[in-house]
């Protein structure tokens, strides 16, 4: 396949060490994998990164590591938080470190109203001058970013570069694509729906399985090369693999597979209890 | 486009007259539309046909009309019913009239267990010797036909020709496609998801909007001709139309549009209250 | 306990014989049980009665049996149907047999709009001159009868005697009670919520387990006698029993228990596959 | 009414000042209200307290205020957090300040497995020697604390004093009551379900509206005094008030009413946009 710029972003794990702390050494191993997989876009401190299980200080120290080690990558920094104050703090820190793209979802626990989502983005935009990605993941935040809210953000913030929809709701995704794929980068956040997202106009995918396996990038490549038959075939084979990965509580499996592949002793932060053995 | 055999089936309305009774005259008008639309496969007495609002006698008399008027069409007869006894009666009547394909969904009101679904199909297969289509529409029947149940039906009935999944759950559809699209005809029952269904291996669609408009058949044609760009574009334009159709209570709008187009005075059976005016 | 008029209605099974047909002999056995249980109100041809699995003719013949055998009972006749035409037919037949109370739920399969529900009741009220009970069971019909719709029915039909809410949604029940319990008989249709319904103002319950066991009537009696402690205790003991009953697909267990208790060979209509053995 | 010990706990607001910071002055005003309302049990830093919108430092400083100002109250300290590390930190701080009761819910954002919930409680129990309340609020945490998990916590932690179920699922509540109300204090966390919770054996309620109005405590008092008629009447009147309160996004209304009553200028933390005016 001739595709060079693969629009598949890795929503990366935080490569914790055996004590549950981010490890520079493991990060290097991870980034080597990415190069090997042909992936040059990473999204640290997202849901796969378990940002919510890390303290503000730990998140900052890990972001510093990314800055120092991942200079060859396009980095979309996850600054999402349960409240605006901490999201601003992270966004400011990302700006200070020189990053120019952040990913932001609604606050969570008590469910955000649409007006709260707008206020959240505005408040963060006051301290970050780069580009924004809107991150829709209602199964975790409790609130969907509605189409009208997206429109309002695009209009008022003015620096929205893309949208990551991880809702898994294909009809909602199709609405996002219909409204924004001509002007913004619309990404599918569910690996098993990549081909169907591309077929309706998505730019690419933010695919968790790329933490451990590049297969889903072939779906992208075949599609943009116009080889639908092979894209279909690959997505279907991939989906069997994806099903296996999802038999374990999110996001244990990608961690387990990464650690096992490299024979690393890693530990996930409390309260995650176990890393499943891979058969 | 060169596609000749369009695998888009019309889940047809019952062309009621001004008294709420099936009308032969209106049926002819409808079938002329189908010819004009390039559609040669029809599925009478399904959900769009409002079979559930018709008595057994009325359903039979309408099926007789179909037999007499639609001899140039491939006909998939809907024999679904709230209970097995009536489904058998309809299937037997279809057989007597010479039809060789029926569509069957689970019984409804009290929710069917998977074992009930199997018993239902078995009981109907005892009185009908032709081919079966499994019809999954859990939003109406209250029960999903699970993959394992489909497998069991395929194995034990032996005459399953296809599956119509109208669940609107793309992940479930993808599982259906993964399991059965190599050996059976898998049809998408939601018009707006046709392209995405085709892209994962579906044979075609059973598309309600073809009652009034052939646009969705272009999605099919572009796709099988390998013109993904136009297929995407067409599906997206179509989806705006589809959204409008769905702003009215199912299935009022297709009836309203049909009546209006042909300036026919029609009436839906009680308790459906109104046929919306089309703007 | 001194309570004489127990406001617990039995939503009765149809006592099918070994061929799956309503049996006069089994009906008599059933009615003897009711006398023994102290229950003098019955609701035939409801969800427990499996009306949806019976043809119109069978339902009529069973209602005739009820008329002939159950003259000592207050009878609320279930006339619910998937369409208005058949509900009218049943209501007319009930009127002809001299019954003066019917129970009616929305039509089902394709989901009824609120305006359809109103039309449905109006159409049935044209052929039945007695009292109506509004039956809310959205898990089976697909549509909830909203409070405003109930208000409209009460106002326009003028002969609403009561409401049976079987939704299991206690907050909705509480709204029904708040709006109607001062002027109408509001019944809880879920046995395990009887005490909590009474405590907010319900008149009584329509309790499926009374087909096989009168325990839940004690909850009613203790409550109206002002013995809350015993009402609580009884409801809690009852709920353990109720949980067991509900481990089987509705409504198999009440049939199984009835048949077993009386050593009757009974068969449920297709597609219900099995009657579970009681341990 | 003669009831002296009212088992109604106030899940208190954090009395923010005009800058969105906890205010000692406003806290005093709040505690005076509680005395006037006859409420001597408070639960700071819960969902009504908007703990999730406060940084660790702010939560600590507010807890210090509580320790200094609320010595006449029974205090159940909310230590819930999105991760175990921060919950431990809060629990340790509560212990250092001399508190002896904490309330803990599952971690959130990515959904906690039941084994994660057990690990979470164990880890917190290592740093806190007092009593625990299990807090079930799946609509915010994404995970329900299942009955078996509760049993395991009761057995293994050994210091569980009570359970607050705010799920609003009355059947789940009834199971909690059936399993634990004889040995633990089971509290209903939804004000409108208080009477129905008491009627099945609950100890009392954790009622958000007590932040602004003591009416719901009358439901409790009438019930324990054996005056069911007045308890019913009061709960029904209360429910109309509760409905109004819930027309605004949680928990805006209780803040707005508190501020307005005392003519205080208060501000909720970002991203909450507005405090609704009370008509």
């Amino acid at each position: 396949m001739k595709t060079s710029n693969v629009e598949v972003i890795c929503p990366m794990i935080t490569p914790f060490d055996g004590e549950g702390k981010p490890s520079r050494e493991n990060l290097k191993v991870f980034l080597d994998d990415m190069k090997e997989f042909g992936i040059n876009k990473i999204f640290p401190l997202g849901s796969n990164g378990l940002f919510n299980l890390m303290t503000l200080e730990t998140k900052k120290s890990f972001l510093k590591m990314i800055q120092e080690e991942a200079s060859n990558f396009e980095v979309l920094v996850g600054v999402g938080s349960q409240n605006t104050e901490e999201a601003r703090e992270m966004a400011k820190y990302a700006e200070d470190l020189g990053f120019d793209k952040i990913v932001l979802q609604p606050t969570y626990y008590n469910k955000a109203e649409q007006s709260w989502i707008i206020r959240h983005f505005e408040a963060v935009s006051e301290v970050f001058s780069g580009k924004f990605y809107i991150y829709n993941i209602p199964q975790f935040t409790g609130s969907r970013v509605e189409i009208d809210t997206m429109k309002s953000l695009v209009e008022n913030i003015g620096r929205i570069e893309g949208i990551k929809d991880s809702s898994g709701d294909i009809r909602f995704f199709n609405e996002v694509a219909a409204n924004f794929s001509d002007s913004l980068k619309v990404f599918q956040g569910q690996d098993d729906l990549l081909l169907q997202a591309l077929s309706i106009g998505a730019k690419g995918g933010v695919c968790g399985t790329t933490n451990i396996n590049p297969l889903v990038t072939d779906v992208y490549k075949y599609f943009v090369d116009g080889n639908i038959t092979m894209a279909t075939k690959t997505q279907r084979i991939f989906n069997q693999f994806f099903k296996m990965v999802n038999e374990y509580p999110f996001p244990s499996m990608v961690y387990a597979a990464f650690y096992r592949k490299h024979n690393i002793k890693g530990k996930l932060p409390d309260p995650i209890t176990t890393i499943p053995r891979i058969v």
Side-chain angles (χ1 to χ4, degrees), chain A:
Chain A
M1 289 172 281
K2 22 196 173 137
T3 317
S4 59
N5 183 31
V6 177
E7 290 284 358
V8 175
I9 299 165
C10 180
M12 66 182 284
I13 57 169
T14 302
F16 299 105
D17 62 19
E19 310 298 311
K21 296 294 167 199
S23 150
R24 184 179 302 265
E25 194 182 344
N26 294 349
L27 174 58
K28 288 177 180 171
V29 172
F30 172 83
L31 294 171
D32 284 346
D33 279 356
M34 290 303 104
K35 273 170 235 158
E36 192 193 315
F37 293 171
I39 291 173
N40 59 5
K41 301 177 210 308
I42 55 176
F43 163 31
L45 293 170
S47 305
N48 276 281
L50 291 172
F51 76 91
N52 57 309
L53 300 186
M54 297 156 74
T55 63
L56 186 58
E57 289 321 302
T58 307
K59 288 191 288 183
K60 283 185 176 176
S61 73
F62 181 59
L63 191 55
K64 188 80 176 62
M65 265 186 219
I66 293 282
Q67 183 226 29
E68 290 160 1
E69 305 296 338
S71 53
N72 294 326
F73 288 81
E74 181 179 333
V75 181
L76 283 60
V77 179
V79 302
S81 169
Q82 62 183 339
N83 58 58
T84 302
E85 192 168 346
E86 199 173 299
R88 276 167 64 101
E89 180 93 12
M90 279 303 292
K92 205 169 171 311
Y93 187 71
E95 174 114 344
D96 291 347
L97 290 182
F99 291 106
D100 59 355
K101 295 178 185 198
I102 60 175
V103 183
L104 187 60
Q105 68 270 56
T107 55
Y108 47 86
Y109 186 73
N110 58 334
K111 296 173 200 243
E113 298 286 305
Q114 298 300 307
S115 65
W116 303 8
I117 297 173
I118 290 171
R119 174 62 197 139
H120 186 55
F121 271 79
E122 280 174 355
V124 173
S125 76
E126 290 161 14
V127 298
F128 184 79
S129 62
K131 301 288 191 187
F132 282 70
Y133 280 78
I134 301 170
Y135 183 8
N136 184 45
I137 184 162
Q139 62 272 44
F140 285 174
T141 63
S143 295
R144 190 162 80 172
V145 187
E146 301 295 352
I147 299 291
D148 283 348
T149 302
M150 291 179 176
K151 283 181 184 168
S152 169
L153 293 174
V154 167
E155 201 168 312
N156 296 323
I157 307 290
R159 290 173 273 139
I160 309 295
E161 183 168 293
I163 298 169
K164 177 193 178 189
D165 176 44
S166 299
S167 67
D169 176 342
I170 200 76
R171 280 175 161 153
F172 184 73
F173 186 87
N174 291 353
E175 275 199 68
V176 173
N179 279 281
F180 301 105
S181 68
D182 292 340
S183 52
L184 302 178
K185 295 182 180 182
V186 173
F187 288 98
Q188 172 56 258
Q190 298 285 338
D191 306 32
D192 59 330
L193 303 177
L194 179 57
L195 173 57
Q196 289 167 321
L198 293 169
S199 80
I200 206 71
K203 183 73 175 178
V206 181
C207 299
T209 58
T210 57
N211 276 289
I212 53 173
N213 187 305
L215 181 57
V216 80
T217 63
D218 287 350
V219 174
Y220 175 87
K221 291 175 194 166
Y222 281 124
F223 182 85
V224 299
D225 283 359
N227 189 341
I228 300 303
T229 309
M230 279 306 292
T232 300
K233 202 168 173 179
T234 308
Q235 181 77 64
R236 284 171 65 160
I237 290 167
F238 170 83
N239 284 0
Q240 296 183 36
F241 164 66
F242 188 69
K243 213 173 158 180
M244 257 176 48
V245 169
N246 281 287
E247 276 167 12
Y248 297 89
F250 174 87
S252 313
M253 189 56 163
V254 286
Y255 282 89
F258 172 74
Y259 288 138
R260 187 178 176 84
K261 177 181 179 185
H262 297 293
N263 204 22
I264 290 173
K265 198 171 155 37
K267 186 191 166 300
L268 299 191
D270 275 333
I272 299 184
T273 39
T274 49
I275 301 177
R277 264 197 64 224
I278 303 170
V279 193

